[in-house]
Amino acid sequence: MPGPPRRAGDGIAEGTGLARHADTALDGTAGDELPMLMEQVVRRENLLAAYARVMHNQGAAGVDGMTVQQLETFCVEHWTRIREELLSGTYEPRPVRRVEIPKPNGGKRMLGIPTVLDRLIQQALLQVLQPIFDPTFSDASFGFRPGRGTHDAVKRARDHIAAGHRWIVDMDLEKFFDRVNHDVLMARVSRRIKDKRVLKLIRRYLQAGSMVGGVVSPRAEGTPQGGPLSPLLSNILLDDLDKELERRGHRFVRYADDCNVYVRSRTAGERVLDSLEQYLTKRLRLKINREKSEVARPWNRKFLGYTFTTHRQPKLRVAPQSVKRLKDKLRTMFRSGRGRKLSRVCGEIGCVLRGWVAYYRLADVKVAFENLDQWLRRKIRCILWRQWKRWRTRMNELLRRGLDEKRAHQSATNGRGPWWNAGASHMNQAIPNQWLREQGLVSLLDEHRRLACSA
């Protein structure tokens, strides 16, 4: 099988399958007349771009077990039939494969993994629908939109706080992706989409159901997370909330279902929270989770992994919860690294650390990076102390690394645990920071400075 295409169109059998049948997608359109929306979905350029995206994203197989590597062969054999079903409005999506992934707060998030073919069709739909809806979305919406991201949302939040809106209404929508009302959502989609075949296909994706243990469960509400189309559908639904907040003149930032409204007092915030709860219930059939929603100071809440200082011109810092999640992830990697070569362990965690710093490069307060660097060095020293095991091995290693005999013997036989010894002066002297850098240990603080200089 050929690998992923280098550009849209590469890697698909020349003159056959998807490439050949996609060429005929616009047959029947007269002159300069614009094709109907479904014809745009199945046109050659759109399908090949969708195929390239699906191959790039990879991902797990759906309920049919087909992998992304098998998609091209399948399309070569079956695309004529699938295309005709799409154009006639008779295509039936397969159920999604339901999986659970842990959430940072200890709960579980339900994901629905569509089949690879359905991912291709959803991606083709997305590429046609996104240019129609995105220009109409609010300027305060940042999630899953081209040219916008989490850093833009965090900067906008900081600007609102600096402007004197130093109270936030932090709203949490209860099980948003599981509670989306299909009729309410489709009513908003149909405001701008008139091709009934596209509307029917979107509704079928919403109602496709999920498979667990070989049993398909129908779905009467919700849009499963995991498909390419779900983020756009969530933005279409919540755009009504954005427009209502704009109509009321509020300052707010929304990233997917994470929405913060910035006000000048607690009283104003409580009033806004109550009124928005009524609006969401009546208009969008959504429910606010009162236990997780709160009117509070920005520095007492987190937003997209960041929080703020109390300065009049607030500074960004890494939220404590984000630091805890990183430590939990690294602890798992360190446990699997016991008994392995230290340079290899440092190389593996280095990829995680660089990605983490790249995301939190906006942080102005560097104490989190300094503390994590100290913690990481101590963890590595702790691994070494455990690897040395016997007191005589520990004494010999300390001697070899420059400690005198008396101090090496006292340190090796002190009876303290590995974590205590990892933070003691004898291990700091024997395993200096420079030696750890030579083994490949990434310094978060140095990496943050490097990114700040290159920005």
Side-chain angles (χ1 to χ4, degrees):
M1 283 295 298
R6 292 183 296 274
R7 63 182 187 276
D10 289 347
I12 298 210
E14 291 293 336
T16 61
L18 185 59
R20 178 178 50 137
H21 296 299
D23 275 332
T24 65
L26 298 182
D27 289 352
T29 56
D32 294 331
E33 180 184 352
L34 288 174
M36 293 289 285
L37 208 59
M38 186 58 80
E39 279 75 11
Q40 294 183 48
V41 171
V42 299
R43 66 185 298 178
R44 180 179 191 275
E45 293 80 6
N46 188 56
L47 285 170
L48 296 183
Y51 173 83
R53 173 58 61 181
V54 170
M55 292 298 294
H56 174 76
N57 291 341
Q58 292 294 303
V63 295
D64 59 356
M66 185 194 303
T67 65
V68 290
Q69 288 75 23
Q70 298 169 320
L71 177 60
E72 182 177 349
T73 301
F74 180 86
C75 287
V76 167
E77 297 175 0
H78 301 283
W79 184 251
T80 300
R81 172 183 58 82
I82 295 166
R83 174 182 172 274
E84 289 303 320
E85 290 178 359
L86 289 169
L87 291 174
S88 63
T90 59
Y91 178 79
E92 292 284 348
R94 299 289 299 273
V96 298
R97 182 167 65 87
R98 195 171 75 175
V99 296
E100 296 180 349
I101 61 172
K103 295 174 67 174
N105 60 9
K108 291 184 178 180
R109 176 179 284 112
M110 304 300 299
L111 291 184
I113 302 177
T115 64
V116 177
L117 175 62
D118 283 325
R119 293 210 293 271
L120 172 69
I121 297 171
Q122 284 194 37
Q123 181 64 36
L125 270 171
L126 174 66
Q127 291 167 181
V128 171
L129 297 180
Q130 187 99 47
I132 296 173
F133 283 99
D134 193 79
T136 69
F137 288 156
S138 168
D139 184 54
S141 168
F142 293 89
F144 311 116
R145 297 184 61 188
R148 289 167 168 253
T150 53
H151 286 175
D152 302 305
V154 170
K155 290 176 182 177
R156 182 70 62 85
R158 181 181 59 188
D159 293 342
H160 291 328
I161 300 168
H165 296 75
R166 297 168 68 81
W167 289 87
I168 62 167
V169 182
D170 188 355
M171 289 190 302
D172 182 88
L173 298 179
E174 188 173 280
K175 297 182 178 179
F176 170 72
F177 285 95
D178 297 331
R179 297 282 176 83
V180 170
N181 183 282
H182 292 171
D183 292 334
V184 173
L185 172 58
M186 291 307 302
R188 278 136 186 87
V189 175
S190 62
R191 289 172 182 172
R192 301 188 63 82
I193 303 301
K194 303 306 177 185
D195 191 326
K196 292 184 178 180
R197 297 167 298 175
V198 173
L199 295 174
K200 186 183 295 185
L201 181 59
I202 293 174
R203 185 177 279 276
R204 283 175 176 168
Y205 273 121
L206 292 173
Q207 297 176 338
S210 58
M211 179 179 287
V212 181
V215 179
V216 177
S217 302
R219 184 170 57 246
E221 62 178 4
T223 171
Q225 292 176 270
L229 204 54
S230 294
L232 176 63
L233 295 179
S234 68
N235 274 335
I236 292 172
L237 180 63
L238 290 176
D239 188 56
D240 272 24
L241 172 62
D242 298 341
K243 296 298 192 291
E244 178 65 17
L245 289 168
E246 288 177 346
R247 187 186 68 80
R248 298 182 185 186
H250 290 309
R251 293 177 178 242
F252 70 99
V253 179
R254 183 176 66 80
Y255 191 95
D257 59 332
D258 195 350
C259 183
N260 284 353
V261 184
Y262 297 84
V263 295
R264 293 185 180 274
S265 68
R266 175 181 288 277
T267 302
E270 291 172 348
R271 185 172 62 249
V272 168
L273 182 58
D274 290 338
S275 63
L276 288 178
E277 184 173 27
Q278 296 177 20
Y279 174 83
L280 289 167
T281 302
K282 292 180 180 179
R283 292 291 300 274
L284 302 182
R285 312 263 185 98
L286 296 173
K287 184 179 180 182
I288 288 180
N289 187 333
R290 277 288 188 166
E291 293 182 0
K292 295 182 179 179
S293 301
E294 186 180 359
V295 178
R297 293 291 196 179
W299 42 89
N300 293 328
R301 305 289 287 183
K302 68 177 180 70
F303 181 56
L304 301 177
Y306 285 87
T307 187
F308 306 88
T309 66
T310 59
H311 298 91
R312 185 168 297 277
Q313 294 295 322
K315 297 180 179 180
L316 291 170
R317 62 186 181 92
V318 182
Q321 300 93 320
S322 303
V323 175
K324 181 180 181 302
R325 285 201 298 271
L326 176 64
K327 284 186 173 182
D328 290 342
K329 183 174 184 177
L330 292 174
R331 283 191 183 99
T332 302
M333 299 180 73
F334 281 133
R335 279 194 291 270
S336 64
R338 294 174 185 173
R340 297 165 61 196
K341 193 174 181 180
L342 193 62
S343 58
R344 184 175 178 182
V345 175
C346 291
E348 290 176 355
I349 67 171
C351 298
V352 175
L353 296 177
R354 289 188 181 92
W356 193 85
V357 177
Y359 180 80
Y360 290 105
R361 65 181 182 272
L362 295 183
D364 303 301
V365 181
K366 301 177 179 60
V367 64
F369 303 105
E370 296 171 352
N371 291 340
L372 279 168
D373 274 343
Q374 294 174 12
W375 181 81
L376 283 165
R377 291 191 290 265
R378 188 168 179 177
K379 288 293 290 186
I380 296 295
R381 292 179 179 119
C382 185
I383 289 175
L384 285 172
W385 190 263
R386 289 180 182 276
Q387 288 179 349
W388 294 342
K389 292 183 179 178
R390 302 176 183 276
W391 72 267
R392 191 175 295 279
T393 305
R394 290 168 177 168
M395 186 179 74
N396 290 336
E397 287 290 341
L398 293 174
L399 285 170
R400 188 170 67 85
R401 295 168 186 271
L403 272 67
D404 61 69
E405 185 174 355
K406 180 179 179 182
R407 190 178 179 208
H409 182 270
Q410 289 176 342
S411 300
T413 58
N414 61 31
R416 302 275 191 166
W419 184 248
W420 185 93
N421 277 284
S425 59
H426 55 268
M427 280 299 284
N428 280 270
Q429 180 180 340
I431 311 294
N433 298 348
Q434 179 59 38
W435 185 87
L436 292 174
R437 282 194 290 269
E438 291 170 357
Q439 304 309 303
L441 181 64
V442 173
S443 168
L444 294 166
L445 189 59
D446 291 346
E447 189 71 11
H448 182 268
R449 288 169 178 161
R450 185 185 67 80
L451 292 174
C453 291
S454 61

